[in-house]
Amino acid sequence: MDSVQIETTAPLTLEFTQIASPPISISPNSRIPKDTIRTSLKASTADSVLASVYSLGTGGILLSNLLVELGASPVVFGMLSSIPMLVNLIQPLGAYLSERSTSRFQYSLRTHGISRLLWLILVIGIASASWGLVDTHQLVILTLLIVLFSNLLGGLGTASWLSWVAMIVPRRLRGRFFGTRNSAANLTTLVCVPMAGLVVSHWYGGSLQGYGIVLLVSVVFGIMGLGCQYFQVDMNPRSQNTYYGKLTQPSEIQSEVVKEESSEVAQSIHPPQDQSTNSIWKNSNFLIFLLYFSFWTLAVNLSSPFFNLYMLDTLNLDVSYVTIYNSFQAAATLLMLILWGKLADKIGNRPILICIGILVGVTPLLWLGISVNRLDIWLWLPLLHILIGGTWAAIDLCNNNIQLAIAPTKNQSIYFAIAAAVAGVSGALGTTIGSFIAQFAQSGGLLSLFVLSAIFRLVALVPLIFLQEPSRS
């Protein structure tokens, strides 16, 4: 829930309610006051900053380091990475439930609020392990269960949150707002991850207790982030759907632009079920993208979840070093996003995906031969993470842009849902296969996995040759 690009052309005229008082009905011809919009955007930005602190404690390198300290197997690491991808399958159910609620804010509290509070159970489990009441195996199982249920609840709330923010942000401010919001979140990660790594590695009671302290602080910040949503103008999904349903009736006298905008929003809220599925399977360009996207996600996740494991376990690096490397990667992503965005506007997304995709494809091979010496620790590994951050900024941006371009305006949300579901399943399959290869290979399990992933990544780029990017074909 930290960063996302939202495509919406919705007018800002609908019924809304202020949370601080009983529901206020605004006629469909009214507009959300500018001051209310301004306050909502500031609150959303603050939410993203606080949510970044929450995310660094409940995922990423710190959670991976916890599992290494507990002696978890590569299969556990594969499960840890596959769970967030598999929960994409529950997003349609979350959208269905949210559209039957009467408040986006209340629905967010019930889903994301409970999701974040679940991590307090792990804090209690870590404290119990420090007192000898819980063994390491039980703590590993508890961690996976919390990851599962926390992500499930988060998945139920993602669609509602996207719809809520999409209706708040004016179209003319969309690019600037989300650029600022994402930059603030990335900057927070850049600063806080090394600090958290130092706390974990140098805590006087040991790294396990250190992670427990960081996790507790992260959860507190996460709840504070949800509190910021209190200051966002609340939306009633039922009124929203009713209003846009009226706008799309042929009897309404509107300009063609308003008809097109309101119809697009109405379809994203309640996608028509007739003919939508058939049209998708007749869209050969989208099917080519789906083939590329699914195979690419599988190939990437064969190795990506295990780079941190390789550094923490095989190379036995201190977690503070690894968090600094991850900060270099985040900084490179932050800086290169602007460059890749301008370049994609000039030459298109497909050429960047092919060229940079080749570089990303061979990146796992650069991990071969890395050992614990000063040159690798202080030069090669930082440069490698900077390369990963800079190149993946292009891949993520262009994958998102080309998907938006390929999916037609009509029933667009269905296309996105199918792409997310397929990517989730293929990514989870990739991590599962990778975890078994890493654990049961006779020798050099992780290194052989990196080579296999590089080969698969390069093969996954082949469908892009036949893909036609709209407006540039």
Side-chain angles (χ1 to χ4, degrees), residues 149-166:
F149 288 106
S150 177
N151 280 277
L152 280 174
L153 287 168
L156 288 174
T158 298
S160 177
W161 180 85
L162 289 177
S163 179
W164 185 12
V165 178

Side-chain angles (χ1 to χ4, degrees), residues 9 17 22 59 71 116 127 255 272 276 278 301 327 385 390 398 431:
T9 55
T17 59
R116 296 181 181 186
S255 65
S276 60
N278 293 334
N301 283 281
S327 296
H385 280 80
C398 293
T431 57

